Amino acid sequence: MYLVISSYQILLKEIVSEFRTRYALNALIMFVVVTISMVLFSIGTESPSQDILSGTLWIVIFFSAMSGLSRTFVAEEERGTSLTLRLLTSASSVYFGKLFYNLVLILALSMFIAGSYLFIIKEFIVKSYDIFWLTIFLGSVGLASASTILAAIIAKANTKGTLFPVLAFPILLPLLLTAINATRLATEGAFFVEALQEFQILISFIIVMITASIMLFDYVWKD
Amino acid sequence: MTTLKLEAHTVAKIYNRKSIFQNVSLAVKEGMSFAITGKNGSGKSTLIKILCGVLSPSKGTIALSINGVLINYPDYYPYIGLVSPYLNMYEEFSAEENLIFIKRIRGLNSDTDERIKFLLNDFGIYEHRRKEVRNYSSGMKQRLKYCAALVHQPPILVLDEPTSNLDEYGIETVRKAMKLQKNHGALIFGTNDKDDLRFADQIFSLDKLEIGN
Amino acid sequence: MKLWLKIGTAVWLTGVIVLGLGIPMVKVPSGFFQFPIIPGLEEKARNIIFHVPIAWTTVVAFVMAMWYGIQYLRTKDIDYDLRSVSSAGLGMVLCVLATVTGAMWAKFNWGSFWNWDPRETSIFILLLIYAAYFVLRSAIEEEERKATLSSVYSIVAGVTVPFFIFVMPRMMAGLHPGSLGDSQGKGPVLQMKMAPNMLIVFLASLLGFTILYFWMYSLKVRSMRIERQLQQQSE
């Protein structure tokens, strides 16, 4: 019960803090707009295959996640508030608070990306919306679950900026490949059951990542 | 008053292959005012962080028991209030918001609101409670840290450089709080200030440790 | 390591190399010193004696690095970190070797150096994980923190590796024997129906490379321990 209360408080604090400081949000929205425009310009008058467009969608989501999700821990470390937080609550509350904040952030972000991608890029046609949105949802949860522990690691390192995608890419690759495949299925108009195995992989990835993170977070948080 | 006992047994901290201190053994009991001294770089702040459970020792053990119950190291956060130069408040929130966040995250009940008001008053920042912390002077920030450390009425109050950044009025308030803490539980502070040291029942010096493995 | 084991390993591996490269390949083999010709592979089949054992030790090295990472987190004994990083360092070298021997084989058998078949992709990911591990280590100055964070990273990376086994075959067509679509798909080696004498040389190579790895590993650990002691004394 205490875990729920205090991680909820951390989530709340992060959200309010984000709306006051706008550290991540404005920059992220601009990032999304810029990258989608670049995709649009590079397509030009060509009509690329759905495979390629599904891939680019996830490239945009991956890099926006990489530029936004490390913020939570890096900010605590930079402003010297991580000691304060360590004195206030348990490591697992911090982990869950940050995980849910990252989840909210990446969900909002990838919905925004997917929506504008569908709207702006005319060549990208989704036929099975149920598969598409479930993939976006599960893919985002997977991104958040792997990024939270990595962000905690990176916050303690000296060079923070470039490190995140380097560390995250090999770990996120099975997730990204599965998500791209499921998105391709959605553009092909596959039935829901045909994408079932993709969803199973995504869900088990999330479970494995969160379980490993809970077990390891203590070591990262109180080194 | 509770019976409490915080013990360190042959604690050592090695940081980047260099030993900061070794063989630290000490015991703090209720009603005690325990001072830690040592010249700059002797590891006062490091030892304080280890005692608070926010930094793990390289060797040795820490044990805290309250009313005969051994508390699992390093989950000491419900029992400790710390004021330290390494600790910052959230700058984009006001003093009141910071304290309410602390109240909620610690899962304290609504009686605490009165206590927050009382503390803000006591430390003379009640009029500034709605101001964002980023606009605070360093002295006001130090006062706010005291409020933050005392919100949950911790059995152990730990102070690192208790009177730094404070004016006369601030120092007086801190002295009062230190005396009060002795009756309420235990007080640990790290300092080299002679005036501060007069408040100590026992002084532990990091300069006089035996060097050995 | 004992002297006889060192000499033994050297002799053993020399034997493996001589036999692996020297035994002639004939259509109808008779006796131990003749390998059968496998249609489509011909002389290139000899690479299996070197490529597969190297790839195998790469995985052993990675598992050991992860295992000592876990031990470090449990005990906070810096010696475990030395072992972990030594194993990872060797694993990285072996991983490059496995990639190179594999790419050469791929060029002559499948037409190009790189085809993104599941196993090629997996070794590429493993290479990326090793590289990221060392990038992370170089980004942290403080020794204990370096050890802790890189151990955590190797474990997090380690738990995702099994996903590739499920994910990769669904993404791309396999070229390696034992891939999905391969009718008797069982695994790269077992399925190849190796001639018994070739199998013996292959297994001897597997054993030889594994012992060689442990030899190099113990050398690396010892030299790192000495290096660390020297640094400590000079400080």
Side-chain angles (χ1 to χ4, degrees):
Chain A
M1 196 55 214
Y2 170 74
L3 182 72
V4 178
I5 293 170
S6 59
S7 40
Y8 173 68
Q9 286 305 320
I10 290 174
L11 169 66
L12 219 60
K13 180 217 94 182
E14 293 292 334
I15 292 172
V16 175
S17 165
E18 180 53 52
F19 274 101
R20 284 200 190 163
T21 57
R22 299 288 165 91
Y23 272 128
L25 213 57
N26 291 347
L28 277 179
I29 290 170
M30 278 314 292
F31 188 95
V32 171
V33 171
V34 169
T35 39
I36 294 183
S37 319
M38 275 179 73
V39 174
L40 190 69
F41 296 146
S42 58
I43 291 172
T45 51
E46 309 272 326
S47 50
S49 70
Q50 298 298 326
D51 289 22
I52 290 173
L53 287 172
S54 311
T56 15
L57 171 65
W58 282 97
I59 291 175
V60 176
I61 294 179
F62 172 74
F63 280 103
S64 344
M66 287 303 100
S67 49
L69 293 187
S70 66
R71 190 69 216 156
T72 41
F73 283 106
V74 173
E76 300 277 0
E77 212 66 40
E78 275 174 0
R79 295 185 294 172
T81 49
S82 67
L83 185 62
T84 317
L85 210 52
R86 264 183 270 174
L87 278 160
L88 288 178
T89 187
S90 65
S92 29
S93 316
V94 175
Y95 175 72
F96 281 110
K98 300 282 187 185
L99 173 69
F100 283 114
Y101 172 67
N102 272 347
L103 206 61
V104 170
L105 189 67
I106 187 70
L107 270 177
L109 201 63
S110 49
M111 303 269 224
F112 174 65
I113 293 170
S116 35
Y117 199 82
L118 278 172
F119 183 72
I120 294 170
I121 294 167
K122 293 279 181 295
E123 290 81 3
F124 185 63
I125 299 150
V126 172
K127 288 180 186 138
S128 320
Y129 278 98
D130 49 351
I131 296 177
F132 181 71
W133 288 113
L134 191 60
T135 307
I136 295 287
F137 175 77
L138 289 176
S140 307
V141 178
L143 276 170
S145 66
S147 315
T148 307
I149 183 96
L150 291 180
I153 291 177
I154 282 155
K156 307 260 172 180
N158 303 352
T159 48
K160 298 177 175 78
T162 45
L163 208 52
F164 200 21
V166 172
L167 295 192
F169 182 69
I171 287 173
L172 286 173
L173 204 63
L175 176 97
L176 290 172
L177 289 175
T178 314
I180 291 169
N181 210 31
T183 311
R184 192 180 49 78
L185 287 174
T187 60
E188 285 168 358
F191 290 111
F192 192 79
V193 279
E194 288 175 73
L196 221 50
Q197 200 174 350
E198 264 68 27
F199 294 141
Q200 280 168 355
I201 293 172
L202 291 178
I203 290 168
S204 40
F205 182 88
I206 293 163
I207 293 170
V208 166
M209 260 310 143
I210 293 180
T211 316
S213 301
I214 294 167
M215 284 160 67
L216 294 168
F217 185 71
D218 247 14
Y219 299 108
V220 183
W221 185 234
K222 292 191 178 164
D223 69 325
Chain B
M1 190 144 133
T2 46
T3 58
L4 66 89
K5 199 175 182 188
L6 177 63
E7 282 177 308
H9 186 65
T10 60
V11 165
K13 183 68 187 175
I14 300 159
Y15 188 82
N16 219 5
R17 296 182 191 178
K18 285 191 198 87
S19 166
I20 298 175
F21 50 73
Q22 284 179 338
N23 250 327
V24 171
S25 298
L26 51 85
V28 183
K29 292 193 182 84
E30 78 269 7
M32 220 171 159
S33 165
F34 192 95
I36 298 167
T37 64
K39 50 179 186 282
N40 291 340
S42 61
K44 282 195 299 293
S45 298
T46 308
L47 179 58
I48 282 175
K49 283 187 202 165
I50 290 175
L51 290 176
C52 293
V54 289
L55 193 71
S56 34
S58 305
K59 278 176 206 151
T61 51
I62 309 285
L64 169 66
S65 67
I66 290 182
N67 292 331
V69 180
L70 198 67
I71 311 296
N72 189 24
Y73 187 83
D75 290 327
Y76 290 179
Y77 59 91
Y79 312 103
I80 283 189
L82 172 68
V83 176
S84 153
Y86 296 99
L87 196 139
N88 289 324
M89 293 291 121
Y90 290 98
E91 304 244 313
E92 68 274 22
F93 292 107
S94 71
E96 198 174 33
E97 283 170 326
N98 265 297
L99 296 178
I100 287 175
F101 169 63
I102 291 169
K103 176 197 108 177
R104 289 194 179 142
I105 199 172
R106 284 188 182 279
L108 303 171
N109 58 19
S110 52
D111 299 348
T112 319
D113 293 334
E114 278 302 308
R115 184 169 169 77
I116 289 173
K117 214 168 135 187
F118 169 77
L119 284 170
L120 284 169
N121 243 322
D122 220 25
F123 284 90
I125 46 173
Y126 188 73
E127 309 89 84
H128 307 289
R129 68 185 187 283
R130 298 264 154 85
K131 247 202 237 169
E132 281 185 10
V133 176
R134 74 170 105 235
N135 302 319
Y136 270 37
S137 71
S138 50
M140 283 158 79
K141 279 182 191 165
Q142 180 76 356
R143 289 162 190 224
L144 176 59
K145 283 186 201 174
Y146 273 93
C147 298
L150 289 165
V151 166
H152 57 301
Q153 296 182 280
I156 303 172
L157 181 65
V158 187
L159 310 173
D160 193 357
E161 306 289 348
T163 48
S164 67
N165 282 331
L166 289 174
D167 58 10
E168 239 164 80
Y169 172 77
I171 291 175
E172 214 172 284
T173 324
V174 167
R175 291 278 143 81
K176 226 168 64 196
M178 283 163 82
K179 269 183 210 146
L180 213 68
Q181 181 63 30
K182 270 179 68 171
N183 304 326
H184 175 67
L187 173 72
I188 302 172
F189 59 101
T191 189
N192 282 324
D193 190 296
K194 290 223 166 54
D195 289 333
D196 288 346
L197 284 176
R198 283 194 286 119
F199 283 83
D201 304 332
Q202 196 178 330
I203 298 174
F204 180 87
S205 173
L206 280 165
D207 299 334
K208 291 172 195 150
L209 289 170
E210 42 184 309
I211 309 296
N213 266 307
Chain C
M1 222 160 99
K2 295 271 191 322
L3 184 68
W4 64 265
L5 202 54
K6 292 179 187 173
I7 295 170
T9 313
V11 172
W12 185 272
L13 274 172
T14 315
V16 165
I17 292 167
V18 168
L19 291 177
L21 295 177
I23 292 181
M25 290 196 153
V26 293
K27 274 226 174 64
V28 189
S30 58
F32 186 82
F33 291 100
Q34 281 177 335
F35 284 155
I37 290 179
I38 302 160
L41 282 173
E42 291 95 30
E43 295 282 335
K44 286 164 277 182
R46 295 181 193 281
N47 199 0
I48 199 168
I49 291 160
F50 308 103
H51 170 65
V52 176
I54 291 172
W56 151 256
T57 31
T58 306
V59 175
V60 170
F62 185 73
V63 170
M64 270 181 59
M66 191 174 141
W67 170 251
Y68 283 124
I70 296 170
Q71 293 304 311
Y72 174 76
L73 289 180
R74 279 186 43 213
T75 60
K76 295 278 168 184
D77 181 354
I78 202 76
D79 194 61
Y80 283 119
D81 182 60
L82 288 186
R83 296 187 207 181
S84 182
V85 72
S86 305
S87 193
L90 285 173
M92 179 111 182
V93 174
L94 290 164
C95 197
V96 172
L97 281 176
T99 313
V100 171
T101 51
M104 288 192 319
W105 201 358
K107 172 71 182 168
F108 295 111
N109 241 50
W110 302 330
S112 70
F113 285 112
W114 203 259
N115 307 282
W116 294 111
D117 112 305
R119 235 175 288 277
E120 285 180 344
T121 315
S122 308
I123 202 95
F124 174 68
I125 307 294
L126 209 54
L127 205 57
L128 282 184
I129 292 175
Y130 275 129
Y133 174 88
F134 283 104
V135 168
L136 175 65
R137 286 189 74 93
S138 64
I140 308 164
E141 239 163 74
E142 207 254 308
E143 193 182 40
E144 288 81 26
R145 183 175 273 193
K146 184 185 281 193
T148 307
L149 297 184
S150 60
S151 300
V152 169
Y153 182 71
S154 69
I155 297 166
V156 172
V159 296
T160 57
V161 168
F163 280 95
F164 289 103
I165 298 161
F166 296 105
V167 174
M168 290 304 170
R170 294 178 59 77
M171 301 295 144
M172 48 204 88
L175 294 165
H176 273 84
S179 304
L180 211 78
D182 195 291
S183 52
Q184 297 139 308
K186 249 192 177 171
V189 184
L190 293 173
Q191 189 269 336
M192 262 196 72
K193 288 184 235 133
M194 231 186 279
N197 58 344
M198 206 169 174
L199 189 66
I200 287 169
V201 180
F202 171 75
L203 291 176
S205 170
L206 206 60
L207 181 69
F209 272 101
T210 311
I211 297 173
L212 180 69
Y213 161 73
F214 280 103
W215 184 4
M216 293 197 292
Y217 164 75
S218 76
L219 276 176
K220 187 101 197 279
V221 170
R222 272 156 52 205
S223 80
M224 282 194 77
R225 278 182 194 146
I226 292 165
E227 203 179 309
R228 190 170 175 275
Q229 262 169 5
L230 283 175
Q231 268 176 13
Q232 229 165 5
Q233 277 165 9
S234 69
E235 268 167 12

